[in-house]
Amino acid sequence: MRFHLQKFLETGKTPYTATFSFDFSQADFPGYQVNEPVAGTFSAELIPEGVHITLQAVAKADAECARCLAPVHETYTIAQEYIVRPRDLSDEDFELPLDEKGLLDVEELVYQEVIFAVPRVLLCSPDCLGLCPICGKRKAAGCTCQPADEAAPADARLSILKQLLS
Ligand SMILES: [Zn+2]
Ligand SMILES: [Zn+2]
């Protein structure tokens, strides 16, 4: 989906609104997938400074908990606004995905916003205890070897200390 930003700046008298649904199931995301389509609304209207763009979308990330590997399905709401001034169209460092003809790649913009919205580290819960290093089970699932786990290294260190002292 491409929006002709330059043309809209010149002739866009009435506000523009479009709904979209983008399939990012084959796209590359850092550490998670977006298997369900990302649906939302893209709007543009002329203001004295240029074009006021509003983007709203809902994205669902699928991942494994970074600590215990349990499946994580999180929903993120994207709500962004941008103001594009006429001079931005010829600015090579302009942050929005705009080509030399003044066409805005809305799908690429949504993709960038999904990456921005989803945290780098996804957890099944903020206080996930992770996996037990002894039995390999999720600690939240009721592993019983946690006390031994904590006591053992201290004992080992203590016995080395005793050997050194004797
Ligand atoms: Zn977890
Ligand atoms: Zn355990």
Side-chain angles (χ1 to χ4, degrees):
M1 178 183 173
R2 280 165 201 275
F3 176 69
H4 208 316
L5 200 58
Q6 180 152 16
K7 201 167 148 192
F8 191 81
L9 255 172
E10 290 160 3
T11 61
K13 291 181 182 69
T14 53
Y16 172 87
T17 299
T19 57
F20 57 78
S21 179
F22 296 133
D23 175 17
F24 292 125
S25 61
Q26 304 302 314
D28 204 19
F29 292 97
Y32 54 90
Q33 274 115 44
V34 178
N35 293 314
E36 288 178 52
V38 177
T41 311
F42 172 89
S43 316
E45 62 174 334
L46 278 187
I47 54 169
E49 300 98 301
V51 182
H52 177 221
I53 291 171
T54 312
L55 184 72
Q56 286 181 309
V58 175
K60 288 176 186 162
D62 298 309
E64 283 179 341
C65 172
R67 289 186 198 151
C68 76
L69 307 179
V72 178
H73 306 286
E74 281 288 345
T75 301
Y76 300 92
T77 304
I78 293 160
Q80 287 287 358
E81 290 181 61
Y82 322 87
I83 289 172
V84 184
R85 294 165 185 86
R87 66 168 184 272
D88 293 329
L89 294 174
S90 52
D91 182 353
E92 281 184 17
D93 297 325
F94 187 51
E95 58 192 16
L96 301 187
L98 204 63
D99 71 8
E100 67 282 354
K101 291 186 185 116
L103 289 157
L104 178 71
D105 187 338
V106 179
E107 184 165 350
E108 178 63 24
L109 178 62
V110 173
Y111 173 73
Q112 289 178 3
E113 291 296 349
V114 171
I115 289 182
F116 187 67
V118 180
R120 295 273 148 177
V121 176
L122 289 162
L123 299 175
C124 62
S125 71
D127 53 356
C128 172
L129 296 170
L131 299 174
C132 168
I134 296 168
C135 70
K137 286 182 188 156
R138 290 176 63 204
K139 283 187 178 175
C143 134
T144 50
C145 34
Q146 196 183 345
D149 172 27
E150 277 169 12
D155 282 351
R157 262 181 268 128
L158 204 63
S159 66
I160 290 166
L161 196 65
K162 277 179 186 161
Q163 280 172 24
L164 289 171
L165 288 171
S166 61

